[in-house]
Amino acid sequence: MSDLSAPAPASPRRWTALALIALAQFMVIMDTSIIGVALPEMQSALGFSQEDLSWVFNAYVVAFGGLLLLGGKLSDVFGAKRLFVTGWAVLAAGSAVAGLAGEAWVELTGRAVQGAGSALIAPAALTLLMTLFGGRPQELTKAFALYGAAAPAGGTAGVFLGGLITQYASWEWVFWINIPVALGVLLATPGVMPDGAARRGSVDWLGAVTVTLGLAVSVYAVVRAPETGWDAARTWLVLGAGLLLIAAFVGLQARRRAPLMRLGIWRSPNLAGANLAQLLMAAAWIPMWFFLNLYLQQVLGLEAFASGAALLPMTAAIMLMMIVLAPRLIARFGPKPLIVTGLLALAAGMVWLSFVRPDGSFAVDVLPASLLAAVGMSLAFIPSLGTALAIPDPTEGGLASGIVNTSYQVGSALGLAAMTAVAAANGAGRLDDPQALTDGFSAAFLGAALLALAGALASLLTLRTPAPAADARPAGEPAPLG
């Protein structure tokens, strides 16, 4: 396993390695959004029913979220570099299957394989980032900023490229675009990534199967609830089964000599609070981005390509703030004030968005509120991520990476499913009625704002501000995250 306590040699290649790590984050997030515009053509080509079409998205998210803990543990046991390479190979294979699919079940299989590849890539990428920069506090915050900015860039690029590819090529290319990128990363990785030492030992496969099934079944229950009904017995039986599997996993971890997730890791200062912040942040941010895109297309009448372009100012603001402003603010104020303030700003931006009108405009109804939400996301994301990774035992870096990635992805899936139900209950299913659509989207924005507000309150109550270190950092050097 990579020894995160020993920094990699000071080499210019670490910035090239960081570019590959940021590219991994970009692609993992892009793959969740790029298929949105292509769904109608895929439905026609592959024979999906209207009810099952959403599983082109959900198959990826469920596999991704369910396997992240296993990916983090495998990164610790076999080495982050090896898992990083393996994950890209699996992602490329899943992309080829999804692009070549001639039937619905083959398409869903390819999407699940893509999600499995991403579940190997994401925690390995964060572990490699900590290996490269963990011993250099003055560079670590900048590295986190570049890594964090890749996420919103990937989400927006997915919408933008999805419209471009679907309009000028074919839906298959929303998957095939991953293959040349993966091949390039596989060729570049050996020369720039640190090798790290793999830890010999066994993997708790029973625990891995239990937690993967538990997370997948729980996410499945919530994702399907808007269709089956929240008051349906089937919804609660499936959700109960998922929660029982997760409880069984916790019981197994308490008894295992070499558990998949050592329960003692949760005694690390601020780990639970930072992961809760990431979960609630994702549960608010992803529905906002999703319904904002629908409002632009279904109410304001923008084409898919124009809708993606309309999200570019928000993305540019996030990237600029994460790279330029957030590191300086973290150095000045520390992570906790930034997390709380950021989540409050995110909530305020979504309350503002809830005032959208059926006869509104992008400049008045969307742009200022989305920029405020972008400011909030920029302030909260990097310090909460860094705090979640600031664990005392550096040999558990892959596990910590897997946990925080799981928190974000599960929050994304659950938040989107819950806000979809809120929007549908308030009229968003009536595609021929702009007022009903707007009412539904407005309700979803308010619901997401409440989740962000809950995240701010939870962070205020659970995160502890570390005592000032008795060191002599040079002026302007960032304080340690977490």
Side-chain angles (χ1 to χ4, degrees):
M1 177 184 346
S2 303
D3 183 3
L4 305 184
S5 63
S11 167
R13 292 186 303 173
R14 68 185 181 277
W15 296 106
T16 305
L18 178 62
L20 294 181
I21 292 168
L23 178 63
Q25 172 76 336
F26 178 92
M27 295 298 292
V28 162
I29 301 301
M30 188 184 78
D31 277 339
T32 65
S33 63
I34 195 171
I35 53 95
V37 179
L39 286 177
E41 288 196 16
M42 294 172 62
Q43 181 178 19
S44 175
L46 301 177
F48 279 101
S49 67
Q50 185 65 27
E51 294 76 18
D52 292 335
L53 187 61
S54 64
W55 279 100
V56 180
F57 173 83
N58 293 331
Y60 177 90
V61 173
V62 169
F64 187 16
L67 291 169
L68 274 166
L69 274 182
L70 177 61
K73 182 66 174 182
L74 292 175
S75 176
D76 284 338
V77 172
F78 296 108
K81 180 178 178 179
R82 184 177 299 173
L83 261 291
F84 188 75
V85 170
T86 302
W88 278 101
V90 173
L91 178 63
S95 300
V97 171
L100 293 169
E103 298 182 41
W105 71 269
V106 179
E107 180 63 45
L108 297 183
T109 299
R111 286 293 282 167
V113 173
Q114 281 187 304
S118 295
L120 300 180
I121 292 170
L126 269 178
T127 303
L128 289 166
L129 186 152
M130 292 298 292
T131 301
L132 289 161
F133 297 97
R136 298 181 175 82
Q138 69 274 22
E139 296 178 351
L140 179 60
T141 305
K142 183 184 295 185
F144 270 129
L146 292 168
Y147 174 86
T156 302
V159 176
F160 189 77
L161 288 176
L164 189 66
I165 290 169
T166 304
Q167 185 169 341
Y168 295 107
S170 65
W171 67 265
E172 292 90 346
W173 279 100
V174 301
F175 304 113
W176 290 342
I177 193 175
N178 291 329
I179 298 174
V181 176
L183 292 177
V185 172
L186 291 174
L187 290 173
T189 295
V192 299
M193 290 293 184
D195 287 325
R199 183 180 68 188
R200 296 187 180 278
S202 60
V203 176
D204 177 14
W205 292 106
L206 179 59
V209 171
T210 305
V211 71
T212 299
L213 286 176
L215 289 172
V217 170
S218 299
V219 171
Y220 172 86
V222 177
V223 167
R224 292 288 289 183
E227 297 174 20
T228 59
W230 284 99
D231 57 348
R234 178 183 173 185
T235 297
W236 292 101
L237 285 173
V238 176
L239 182 59
L243 294 177
L244 281 175
L245 284 167
I246 293 173
F249 166 73
V250 173
L252 282 172
Q253 301 312 286
R255 296 177 177 84
R256 293 276 176 174
R257 184 170 299 177
L260 180 68
M261 180 181 71
R262 186 180 63 85
L263 298 182
I265 194 173
W266 291 100
R267 291 195 292 269
S268 300
N270 292 328
L271 180 69
N275 274 278
L276 182 58
Q278 281 272 313
L279 186 146
L280 290 171
M281 183 194 314
W285 174 259
I286 297 301
M288 185 214 73
W289 169 84
F290 181 83
F291 287 107
L292 185 57
N293 188 47
L294 290 181
Y295 173 74
L296 290 169
Q297 292 189 56
Q298 296 179 353
V299 177
L300 298 188
L302 273 64
E303 297 286 343
F305 183 82
S307 176
L311 298 176
L312 291 178
M314 182 170 61
T315 304
I318 291 176
M319 295 180 68
L320 182 65
M321 289 201 63
M322 281 190 177
I323 295 171
V324 176
L325 187 59
R328 297 179 183 180
L329 293 175
I330 293 170
R332 181 175 178 85
F333 299 106
K336 179 177 178 177
L338 269 292
I339 297 171
V340 174
T341 303
L343 286 166
L344 287 174
L346 180 58
M350 285 184 287
V351 170
W352 194 347
L353 279 173
S354 71
F355 291 100
V356 290
R357 301 164 298 164
D359 57 347
S361 68
F362 168 73
V364 174
D365 295 74
V366 174
L367 182 60
S370 67
L371 290 178
L372 177 58
V375 169
M377 184 67 172
S378 304
L379 294 178
F381 183 84
I382 296 171
S384 59
L385 177 65
T387 301
L389 294 173
I391 57 174
D393 185 358
T395 64
E396 292 184 314
L399 176 58
S401 300
I403 290 172
V404 71
N405 272 289
T406 299
S407 297
Y408 191 89
Q409 293 302 323
V410 170
S412 299
L414 297 182
L416 181 56
M419 292 307 105
T420 297
V422 169
N426 286 273
R430 296 163 60 185
L431 299 179
D432 58 343
D433 187 342
Q435 182 64 60
L437 281 172
T438 304
D439 290 344
F441 298 156
S442 176
F445 291 138
L446 277 177
L450 289 175
L451 292 174
L453 186 62
L457 180 61
S459 299
L460 183 65
L461 296 177
T462 61
L463 294 177
R464 301 199 307 271
T465 301
D471 61 0
R473 284 192 305 274
E477 179 177 313
L481 285 170

Short mmCIF file of all heavy atoms in Angstrom, two decimals, residues 409-457:
data_model
loop_
_atom_site.label_atom_id
_atom_site.label_comp_id
_atom_site.label_asym_id
_atom_site.label_seq_id
_atom_site.Cartn_x
_atom_site.Cartn_y
_atom_site.Cartn_z
N GLN A 409 -21.41 9.94 -3.76
CA GLN A 409 -22.22 9.29 -4.79
C GLN A 409 -23.56 8.81 -4.25
O GLN A 409 -24.59 8.93 -4.93
CB GLN A 409 -21.45 8.11 -5.39
CG GLN A 409 -20.23 8.53 -6.20
CD GLN A 409 -20.57 9.47 -7.33
OE1 GLN A 409 -21.61 9.34 -7.96
NE2 GLN A 409 -19.71 10.44 -7.59
N VAL A 410 -23.57 8.27 -3.04
CA VAL A 410 -24.84 7.86 -2.45
C VAL A 410 -25.73 9.08 -2.19
O VAL A 410 -26.94 9.06 -2.44
CB VAL A 410 -24.61 7.06 -1.15
CG1 VAL A 410 -25.92 6.83 -0.40
CG2 VAL A 410 -23.97 5.71 -1.48
N GLY A 411 -25.11 10.17 -1.72
CA GLY A 411 -25.87 11.40 -1.55
C GLY A 411 -26.46 11.89 -2.86
O GLY A 411 -27.61 12.34 -2.91
N SER A 412 -25.68 11.79 -3.95
CA SER A 412 -26.17 12.20 -5.27
C SER A 412 -27.40 11.39 -5.67
O SER A 412 -28.42 11.96 -6.11
CB SER A 412 -25.07 12.00 -6.33
OG SER A 412 -23.94 12.78 -6.04
N ALA A 413 -27.29 10.06 -5.55
CA ALA A 413 -28.39 9.19 -5.98
C ALA A 413 -29.63 9.39 -5.11
O ALA A 413 -30.76 9.52 -5.62
CB ALA A 413 -27.94 7.74 -5.93
N LEU A 414 -29.45 9.44 -3.80
CA LEU A 414 -30.60 9.58 -2.91
C LEU A 414 -31.23 10.96 -3.04
O LEU A 414 -32.46 11.09 -3.04
CB LEU A 414 -30.17 9.31 -1.46
CG LEU A 414 -29.65 7.90 -1.16
CD1 LEU A 414 -29.32 7.78 0.32
CD2 LEU A 414 -30.65 6.84 -1.57
N GLY A 415 -30.40 12.00 -3.13
CA GLY A 415 -30.94 13.34 -3.26
C GLY A 415 -31.72 13.52 -4.54
O GLY A 415 -32.81 14.11 -4.55
N LEU A 416 -31.18 13.00 -5.65
CA LEU A 416 -31.87 13.13 -6.93
C LEU A 416 -33.19 12.35 -6.91
O LEU A 416 -34.22 12.84 -7.40
CB LEU A 416 -30.98 12.65 -8.07
CG LEU A 416 -31.57 12.74 -9.47
CD1 LEU A 416 -32.01 14.16 -9.79
CD2 LEU A 416 -30.57 12.24 -10.51
N ALA A 417 -33.16 11.15 -6.34
CA ALA A 417 -34.40 10.36 -6.28
C ALA A 417 -35.46 11.05 -5.43
O ALA A 417 -36.64 11.13 -5.81
CB ALA A 417 -34.09 8.97 -5.72
N ALA A 418 -35.05 11.58 -4.28
CA ALA A 418 -36.01 12.24 -3.40
C ALA A 418 -36.57 13.50 -4.04
O ALA A 418 -37.79 13.76 -3.98
CB ALA A 418 -35.35 12.56 -2.06
N MET A 419 -35.71 14.33 -4.65
CA MET A 419 -36.19 15.57 -5.26
C MET A 419 -37.01 15.30 -6.53
O MET A 419 -37.89 16.08 -6.89
CB MET A 419 -35.03 16.49 -5.56
CG MET A 419 -34.33 17.05 -4.32
SD MET A 419 -35.46 17.84 -3.14
CE MET A 419 -35.54 16.58 -1.84
N THR A 420 -36.73 14.18 -7.21
CA THR A 420 -37.58 13.79 -8.34
C THR A 420 -38.99 13.51 -7.86
O THR A 420 -39.97 13.91 -8.51
CB THR A 420 -37.00 12.56 -9.05
OG1 THR A 420 -35.70 12.88 -9.58
CG2 THR A 420 -37.89 12.10 -10.19
N ALA A 421 -39.10 12.84 -6.73
CA ALA A 421 -40.42 12.58 -6.16
C ALA A 421 -41.12 13.87 -5.76
O ALA A 421 -42.32 14.06 -5.98
CB ALA A 421 -40.29 11.65 -4.95
N VAL A 422 -40.36 14.81 -5.17
CA VAL A 422 -40.92 16.10 -4.78
C VAL A 422 -41.41 16.86 -6.01
O VAL A 422 -42.52 17.42 -6.01
CB VAL A 422 -39.87 16.93 -4.01
CG1 VAL A 422 -40.35 18.37 -3.83
CG2 VAL A 422 -39.59 16.30 -2.65
N ALA A 423 -40.59 16.89 -7.06
CA ALA A 423 -40.98 17.60 -8.29
C ALA A 423 -42.22 16.99 -8.92
O ALA A 423 -43.14 17.70 -9.35
CB ALA A 423 -39.82 17.59 -9.28
N ALA A 424 -42.26 15.65 -8.97
CA ALA A 424 -43.42 14.97 -9.58
C ALA A 424 -44.69 15.23 -8.78
O ALA A 424 -45.77 15.44 -9.36
CB ALA A 424 -43.14 13.47 -9.67
N ALA A 425 -44.57 15.27 -7.46
CA ALA A 425 -45.74 15.50 -6.62
C ALA A 425 -46.27 16.92 -6.77
O ALA A 425 -47.43 17.20 -6.42
CB ALA A 425 -45.40 15.23 -5.16
N ASN A 426 -45.45 17.82 -7.30
CA ASN A 426 -45.86 19.21 -7.44
C ASN A 426 -46.07 19.62 -8.89
O ASN A 426 -46.08 20.81 -9.20
CB ASN A 426 -44.83 20.13 -6.78
CG ASN A 426 -44.90 20.10 -5.27
OD1 ASN A 426 -45.66 20.83 -4.66
ND2 ASN A 426 -44.11 19.21 -4.67
N GLY A 427 -46.23 18.62 -9.79
CA GLY A 427 -46.65 18.92 -11.15
C GLY A 427 -45.63 18.77 -12.23
O GLY A 427 -45.93 19.02 -13.41
N ALA A 428 -44.38 18.34 -11.90
CA ALA A 428 -43.33 18.30 -12.92
C ALA A 428 -43.56 17.22 -13.97
O ALA A 428 -42.87 17.21 -15.00
CB ALA A 428 -41.97 18.08 -12.26
N GLY A 429 -44.51 16.31 -13.78
CA GLY A 429 -44.77 15.29 -14.78
C GLY A 429 -45.65 15.76 -15.93
O GLY A 429 -45.81 15.05 -16.93
N ARG A 430 -46.22 16.96 -15.84
CA ARG A 430 -47.13 17.46 -16.87
C ARG A 430 -46.33 18.27 -17.89
O ARG A 430 -46.19 19.49 -17.79
CB ARG A 430 -48.23 18.30 -16.21
CG ARG A 430 -49.11 17.46 -15.28
CD ARG A 430 -49.90 18.32 -14.32
NE ARG A 430 -50.80 19.24 -15.02
CZ ARG A 430 -51.54 20.17 -14.41
NH1 ARG A 430 -51.49 20.27 -13.09
NH2 ARG A 430 -52.32 20.97 -15.11
N LEU A 431 -45.79 17.58 -18.89
CA LEU A 431 -44.87 18.19 -19.83
C LEU A 431 -45.52 19.26 -20.71
O LEU A 431 -44.82 20.10 -21.27
CB LEU A 431 -44.23 17.12 -20.72
CG LEU A 431 -43.40 16.04 -20.00
CD1 LEU A 431 -42.85 15.04 -21.00
CD2 LEU A 431 -42.28 16.67 -19.21
N ASP A 432 -46.84 19.23 -20.83
CA ASP A 432 -47.53 20.20 -21.69
C ASP A 432 -47.98 21.45 -20.94
O ASP A 432 -48.65 22.31 -21.50
CB ASP A 432 -48.74 19.54 -22.34
CG ASP A 432 -49.72 18.99 -21.30
OD1 ASP A 432 -49.32 18.83 -20.13
OD2 ASP A 432 -50.88 18.71 -21.67
N ASP A 433 -47.61 21.56 -19.66
CA ASP A 433 -48.06 22.68 -18.84
C ASP A 433 -46.84 23.37 -18.22
O ASP A 433 -46.31 22.93 -17.20
CB ASP A 433 -48.99 22.17 -17.74
CG ASP A 433 -49.62 23.30 -16.94
OD1 ASP A 433 -49.11 24.44 -17.00
OD2 ASP A 433 -50.63 23.05 -16.25
N PRO A 434 -46.36 24.49 -18.80
CA PRO A 434 -45.17 25.18 -18.28
C PRO A 434 -45.31 25.61 -16.82
O PRO A 434 -44.34 25.56 -16.06
CB PRO A 434 -45.02 26.39 -19.21
CG PRO A 434 -45.71 25.98 -20.47
CD PRO A 434 -46.84 25.12 -20.05
N GLN A 435 -46.51 26.02 -16.42
CA GLN A 435 -46.70 26.44 -15.04
C GLN A 435 -46.54 25.27 -14.08
O GLN A 435 -45.89 25.39 -13.03
CB GLN A 435 -48.10 27.06 -14.87
CG GLN A 435 -48.37 27.58 -13.45
CD GLN A 435 -47.45 28.72 -13.08
OE1 GLN A 435 -47.44 29.76 -13.72
NE2 GLN A 435 -46.67 28.54 -12.02
N ALA A 436 -47.12 24.11 -14.43
CA ALA A 436 -46.98 22.93 -13.58
C ALA A 436 -45.52 22.47 -13.52
O ALA A 436 -45.02 22.11 -12.45
CB ALA A 436 -47.87 21.80 -14.11
N LEU A 437 -44.84 22.48 -14.66
CA LEU A 437 -43.43 22.13 -14.67
C LEU A 437 -42.63 23.05 -13.76
O LEU A 437 -41.80 22.60 -12.95
CB LEU A 437 -42.87 22.21 -16.09
CG LEU A 437 -43.18 21.05 -17.04
CD1 LEU A 437 -42.73 21.41 -18.45
CD2 LEU A 437 -42.48 19.79 -16.58
N THR A 438 -42.88 24.35 -13.89
CA THR A 438 -42.15 25.32 -13.08
C THR A 438 -42.43 25.12 -11.59
O THR A 438 -41.52 25.20 -10.76
CB THR A 438 -42.53 26.75 -13.50
OG1 THR A 438 -42.29 26.91 -14.89
CG2 THR A 438 -41.71 27.77 -12.73
N ASP A 439 -43.69 24.85 -11.25
CA ASP A 439 -44.03 24.59 -9.84
C ASP A 439 -43.27 23.37 -9.31
O ASP A 439 -42.77 23.38 -8.17
CB ASP A 439 -45.53 24.37 -9.70
CG ASP A 439 -46.34 25.64 -9.93
OD1 ASP A 439 -45.75 26.74 -9.89
OD2 ASP A 439 -47.56 25.53 -10.17
N GLY A 440 -43.19 22.32 -10.13
CA GLY A 440 -42.48 21.12 -9.70
C GLY A 440 -40.99 21.38 -9.52
O GLY A 440 -40.38 20.96 -8.52
N PHE A 441 -40.39 22.08 -10.47
CA PHE A 441 -38.95 22.38 -10.37
C PHE A 441 -38.68 23.30 -9.18
O PHE A 441 -37.68 23.14 -8.47
CB PHE A 441 -38.46 23.03 -11.65
CG PHE A 441 -38.60 22.16 -12.88
CD1 PHE A 441 -38.68 22.72 -14.14
CD2 PHE A 441 -38.65 20.78 -12.77
CE1 PHE A 441 -38.81 21.93 -15.27
CE2 PHE A 441 -38.79 19.97 -13.89
CZ PHE A 441 -38.87 20.56 -15.14
N SER A 442 -39.57 24.26 -8.96
CA SER A 442 -39.41 25.17 -7.82
C SER A 442 -39.42 24.40 -6.50
O SER A 442 -38.62 24.65 -5.59
CB SER A 442 -40.53 26.21 -7.84
OG SER A 442 -40.45 27.04 -6.71
N ALA A 443 -40.34 23.43 -6.39
CA ALA A 443 -40.40 22.61 -5.17
C ALA A 443 -39.13 21.80 -4.99
O ALA A 443 -38.63 21.65 -3.86
CB ALA A 443 -41.62 21.68 -5.24
N ALA A 444 -38.57 21.28 -6.09
CA ALA A 444 -37.32 20.53 -6.00
C ALA A 444 -36.17 21.43 -5.56
O ALA A 444 -35.31 21.01 -4.76
CB ALA A 444 -37.00 19.89 -7.36
N PHE A 445 -36.11 22.66 -6.07
CA PHE A 445 -35.06 23.59 -5.64
C PHE A 445 -35.17 23.89 -4.14
O PHE A 445 -34.17 23.94 -3.43
CB PHE A 445 -35.15 24.89 -6.44
CG PHE A 445 -34.78 24.75 -7.89
CD1 PHE A 445 -35.51 25.40 -8.87
CD2 PHE A 445 -33.69 23.98 -8.28
CE1 PHE A 445 -35.18 25.28 -10.21
CE2 PHE A 445 -33.35 23.85 -9.62
CZ PHE A 445 -34.09 24.51 -10.59
N LEU A 446 -36.40 24.07 -3.66
CA LEU A 446 -36.58 24.33 -2.23
C LEU A 446 -36.18 23.11 -1.39
O LEU A 446 -35.55 23.25 -0.34
CB LEU A 446 -38.03 24.70 -1.95
CG LEU A 446 -38.44 26.16 -2.17
CD1 LEU A 446 -39.92 26.34 -1.91
CD2 LEU A 446 -37.63 27.08 -1.26
N GLY A 447 -36.55 21.92 -1.86
CA GLY A 447 -36.16 20.72 -1.14
C GLY A 447 -34.65 20.56 -1.08
O GLY A 447 -34.08 20.21 -0.04
N ALA A 448 -33.97 20.83 -2.20
CA ALA A 448 -32.52 20.75 -2.23
C ALA A 448 -31.90 21.81 -1.31
O ALA A 448 -30.87 21.57 -0.66
CB ALA A 448 -32.01 20.92 -3.66
N ALA A 449 -32.53 22.99 -1.24
CA ALA A 449 -32.03 24.03 -0.34
C ALA A 449 -32.09 23.56 1.11
O ALA A 449 -31.18 23.84 1.91
CB ALA A 449 -32.85 25.31 -0.53
N LEU A 450 -33.15 22.86 1.47
CA LEU A 450 -33.26 22.34 2.83
C LEU A 450 -32.15 21.33 3.13
O LEU A 450 -31.62 21.29 4.25
CB LEU A 450 -34.63 21.70 3.04
CG LEU A 450 -35.82 22.66 3.10
CD1 LEU A 450 -37.13 21.89 3.19
CD2 LEU A 450 -35.69 23.60 4.31
N LEU A 451 -31.78 20.51 2.14
CA LEU A 451 -30.69 19.55 2.34
C LEU A 451 -29.37 20.28 2.56
O LEU A 451 -28.57 19.89 3.42
CB LEU A 451 -30.60 18.63 1.12
CG LEU A 451 -31.77 17.64 0.94
CD1 LEU A 451 -31.62 16.89 -0.37
CD2 LEU A 451 -31.84 16.67 2.10
N ALA A 452 -29.12 21.34 1.77
CA ALA A 452 -27.90 22.11 1.96
C ALA A 452 -27.88 22.79 3.32
O ALA A 452 -26.84 22.85 4.00
CB ALA A 452 -27.76 23.14 0.84
N LEU A 453 -29.04 23.31 3.74
CA LEU A 453 -29.14 23.94 5.06
C LEU A 453 -28.88 22.92 6.17
O LEU A 453 -28.20 23.22 7.16
CB LEU A 453 -30.52 24.56 5.21
CG LEU A 453 -30.76 25.40 6.47
CD1 LEU A 453 -29.82 26.59 6.51
CD2 LEU A 453 -32.21 25.88 6.52
N ALA A 454 -29.41 21.70 6.00
CA ALA A 454 -29.14 20.64 6.97
C ALA A 454 -27.66 20.32 7.02
O ALA A 454 -27.09 20.06 8.10
CB ALA A 454 -29.95 19.39 6.61
N GLY A 455 -26.99 20.34 5.85
CA GLY A 455 -25.55 20.11 5.82
C GLY A 455 -24.78 21.18 6.57
O GLY A 455 -23.81 20.89 7.30
N ALA A 456 -25.19 22.45 6.41
CA ALA A 456 -24.53 23.54 7.12
C ALA A 456 -24.69 23.38 8.63
O ALA A 456 -23.74 23.55 9.41
CB ALA A 456 -25.09 24.88 6.66
N LEU A 457 -25.92 23.05 9.08
CA LEU A 457 -26.17 22.87 10.50
C LEU A 457 -25.39 21.69 11.06
O LEU A 457 -24.77 21.78 12.13
CB LEU A 457 -27.67 22.68 10.73
CG LEU A 457 -28.11 22.48 12.19
CD1 LEU A 457 -27.75 23.70 13.02
CD2 LEU A 457 -29.62 22.22 12.27
#
